Amino acid sequence: MRVLILFLLFMTSIFAIQIKDVANTVGVRDNQLIGYGLVVGLNGSGDGTSSKFTLQSVSNLLQGMNIKVDPADIKSKNTAAVMVTAKLPAFAKSGDKLDITVSSLGDAKSLQGGTLLLTALRGIDGEIYAIAQGSISTGGLTARPGGAGSHSTAATVMGGANVEREIPQNFSQNNDLTLSLKVADFQTASNIERVLNNVFGEDVAKAIDSRTIKLKKPEDLSNVDFMARVLNQDIAYTPESKVIIDERTGTVIAGVDVEVEPVLITHKDITIKIDPNNNTTPNQNEIDMKDGGFIDPSSNTLRINNTKSTVANIARMLNKLGATPNDIIAIMENLKRAGAITADLEII
């Protein structure tokens, strides 16, 4: 299996970015909804008799329609018990449509072709905020491992729920306007404070900590106008250098400018030598990689001589050397432990 390596350009130089890209408005957010329902109309691919809760749910449904059926007498496999989830956006109004995700709860083989019956979607407070119902489409979600697309046990219903209850909002009357940075950073918070005070006047913005900026609206602007202008302001921003590793898929994501200091590391039968003072010509058995690095396939040795070795170069050369995803991940982790990589290393 070949490792997937993505190189993203995390610029180390300062550039302009809008405030809305790095900060959220406190109180303006989505709310999670969840509900339990039944999908019917499946062609024998629904829950089997081992899913007792499905049989009981079908019995309860029929009983509500004055049809009494013992759960033990239900043998149909055309029904599946599902959990339904959705996000209720900020300021959503009654009658708005929501996209929903439907996921099998029992041992159904597929939800393809089914219809979700009327399902109440509740918030964390137990109140019903939306009602879901509709035909199932499994085309947009990944099928279960080893299965075909038509055998998905997760599905979507676009616009499959109607908002029934609104979350009370008094944004226009709110005098406590606050920004919250998506990533805590004292410099970014200070930059936002300085820019907003230059644009709107002193004391409009005050950075409380590395994540929070309190705002004071000018008298001549409404809350909506004020926040629209605030969020569209450009600020000087320097993203942090980061290397991200997905252990499950073997993906390595790194900025092309994340440097690696001189180091000698051996992992299993792979050796990496980073020495800017070494000679820059390939030895007898080495292959020139054209960017300051040489590979010796006979000894699985990677030698890098250029003064600015990067994670991108090392990952690319290791991939050409035939290193497995686990090998590359282990090498990156040990480079970080040895202090050869100063960028943050995130394992997901």
Side-chain angles (χ1 to χ4, degrees):
M1 178 176 62
R2 291 178 61 84
V3 65
L4 175 61
I5 306 171
L6 303 180
F7 305 120
L8 301 183
L9 185 59
F10 297 123
M11 299 296 294
T12 56
S13 58
I14 298 176
F15 63 96
I17 194 171
Q18 289 187 320
I19 291 177
K20 63 183 176 184
D21 294 323
V22 297
N24 295 316
T25 304
V26 173
V28 180
R29 63 179 181 85
D30 295 338
N31 289 272
Q32 305 295 328
L33 303 180
I34 190 170
Y36 171 83
L38 292 174
V39 172
V40 300
L42 303 175
N43 188 18
S45 61
D47 292 340
T49 55
S50 61
S51 298
K52 302 297 184 183
F53 49 86
T54 304
L55 303 179
Q56 186 63 59
S57 298
V58 173
S59 176
N60 293 345
L61 175 67
L62 295 176
Q63 189 171 352
M65 299 179 179
N66 296 320
I67 302 174
K68 293 185 177 181
V69 178
D70 190 319
D73 295 332
I74 300 175
K75 305 299 181 183
S76 171
K77 293 186 179 181
N78 292 346
T79 304
V82 295
M83 297 304 298
V84 183
T85 57
K87 289 182 180 180
L88 183 66
F91 312 118
K93 302 301 180 184
S94 178
D96 287 352
K97 299 286 187 180
L98 303 179
D99 297 338
I100 62 174
T101 300
V102 182
S103 304
S104 174
L105 193 61
D107 57 354
K109 295 181 176 62
S110 173
L111 300 179
Q112 180 66 35
T115 300
L116 174 69
L117 298 183
L118 202 65
T119 302
L121 301 182
R122 302 175 185 272
I124 192 65
D125 57 1
E127 297 290 341
I128 297 175
Y129 287 92
I131 300 295
Q133 182 168 279
S135 300
I136 299 296
S137 169
T138 60
L141 293 180
T142 303
R144 62 168 57 182
S150 61
H151 298 293
S152 176
T153 53
T156 57
V157 181
M158 306 301 293
N162 286 327
V163 175
E164 300 293 333
R165 179 194 295 265
E166 301 173 10
I167 296 179
Q169 300 279 355
N170 61 341
F171 181 78
S172 62
Q173 306 299 324
N174 187 8
N175 294 321
D176 185 22
L177 299 174
T178 305
L179 294 176
S180 177
L181 295 183
K182 298 175 183 178
V183 177
D185 182 76
F186 283 108
Q187 185 60 58
T188 303
S190 177
N191 290 343
I192 291 177
E193 177 187 57
R194 182 172 58 256
V195 167
L196 294 182
N197 285 335
N198 287 339
V199 172
F200 297 101
E202 294 296 329
D203 300 327
V204 166
K206 183 174 180 59
I208 304 301
D209 51 43
S210 62
R211 187 181 290 272
T212 310
I213 300 98
K214 292 286 187 180
L215 303 177
K216 183 179 179 182
K217 180 183 69 67
E219 295 294 335
D220 59 336
L221 293 176
S222 68
N223 282 5
V224 174
D225 289 339
F226 176 56
M227 289 309 300
R229 293 182 60 183
V230 164
L231 295 175
N232 284 325
Q233 293 300 318
D234 290 335
I235 62 166
Y237 180 68
T238 305
E240 61 178 335
S241 296
K242 182 178 289 188
V243 179
I244 302 174
I245 301 176
D246 188 333
E247 286 189 307
R248 182 176 59 85
T249 63
T251 302
V252 178
I253 304 176
V256 295
D257 57 349
V258 178
E259 295 184 11
V260 182
E261 299 298 324
V263 69
L264 171 63
I265 182 172
T266 299
H267 173 75
K268 296 181 180 178
D269 60 344
I270 299 175
T271 300
I272 299 176
K273 298 179 182 179
I274 301 178
D275 184 1
N277 298 319
N278 205 339
N279 67 72
T280 57
T281 58
N283 297 327
Q284 182 177 0
N285 298 323
E286 291 181 332
I287 301 173
D288 190 351
M289 300 306 297
K290 306 301 183 183
D291 53 4
F294 308 95
I295 291 177
D296 185 350
S298 63
S299 61
N300 277 353
T301 298
L302 171 60
R303 181 168 60 90
I304 301 177
N305 299 328
N306 48 347
T307 57
K308 290 188 177 181
S309 301
T310 65
V311 169
N313 288 339
I314 292 175
R316 182 169 58 250
M317 293 180 189
L318 286 172
N319 194 41
K320 292 182 179 179
L321 192 60
T324 67
N326 287 338
D327 288 335
I328 295 179
I329 290 171
I331 289 171
M332 294 298 175
E333 289 176 330
N334 285 304
L335 286 173
K336 176 63 177 177
R337 292 189 185 99
I341 298 177
T342 57
D344 290 339
L345 183 63
E346 182 177 343
I347 309 298
I348 60 176

